[in-house]
Amino acid sequence: MQGLILQLTRAGFLLLLWLFVWAVLRTLRSDIYAGSGVRVPPRYTRAGKVLPSLGKAKVPRYLVVTQGALAGTRITLGSQPVMIGRADDSTLVLTDDYASTRHARLSQRGADWYVEDLGSTNGTYLDRAKVTTAVRVPLGTPVRVGKTVIELRP
């Protein structure tokens, strides 16, 4: 009788182990293959019509830290990518425990700037949406890296 109970206990633990491994793999798969789903809605007037672009479009000239330990810091944008992380050679060096050594990169493509996560532990967020691929950053849209929030400004 004790042998039967021991075998049933072993089988139960083995089943629990396989269920745990399946749940972990399912979670990893959904995190890896999830799209960023970031959509920037068009600007509307009170009548409900889309606003036309008037004249020159505003071009981002500065990267401004709006929240976090470095709030108020302003970096002038050039043609070089902006590296963000805890590494000493980053353009924006963060002293945030929730930021990775090489957390994210802002790079220019034409007139637009794109943010991409560099495999960080806690992720990079563009206005509450997790960044999984390179995503265009509109002016004034918050980008969260750990506890630090940055924005592109004209």
Side-chain angles (χ1 to χ4, degrees):
M1 189 66 178
Q2 283 184 340
L4 179 64
I5 293 174
L6 182 62
Q7 289 298 328
L8 288 174
T9 306
R10 286 181 180 169
F13 278 125
L14 186 60
L15 179 67
L16 284 174
L17 177 66
W18 277 109
L19 285 173
F20 176 74
V21 169
W22 177 77
V24 167
L25 290 175
R26 185 172 173 214
T27 302
L28 286 173
R29 181 177 173 263
S30 68
D31 284 348
I32 290 173
Y33 293 112
S36 65
V38 175
R39 300 262 188 244
V40 178
R43 297 180 70 165
Y44 292 95
T45 63
R46 288 189 182 156
K49 297 180 182 177
V50 176
L51 286 175
S53 1
L54 301 171
K56 264 169 65 175
K58 293 188 179 178
V59 178
R61 299 193 187 279
Y62 300 104
L63 176 70
V64 179
V65 179
T66 57
Q67 292 178 20
L70 299 172
T73 304
R74 186 171 85 167
I75 297 174
T76 304
L77 297 173
S79 59
Q80 296 297 321
V82 177
M83 300 296 291
I84 303 168
R86 292 172 43 179
D88 292 334
D89 62 342
S90 296
T91 311
L92 181 61
V93 179
L94 303 177
T95 56
D96 186 351
D97 291 337
Y98 295 99
S100 299
T101 306
R102 303 242 184 257
H103 197 102
R105 173 178 40 226
L106 271 168
S107 55
Q108 188 176 16
R109 296 181 188 172
D112 296 326
W113 283 83
Y114 286 78
V115 64
E116 57 187 307
D117 188 79
L118 299 176
S120 66
T121 305
N122 294 319
T124 304
Y125 293 87
L126 177 65
D127 198 22
R128 297 188 198 140
K130 189 170 187 176
V131 174
T132 56
T133 61
V135 179
R136 189 177 78 79
V137 181
L139 282 173
T141 303
V143 177
R144 180 173 297 277
V145 175
K147 292 182 179 179
T148 305
V149 178
I150 58 175
E151 292 180 7
L152 294 176
R153 300 272 173 88

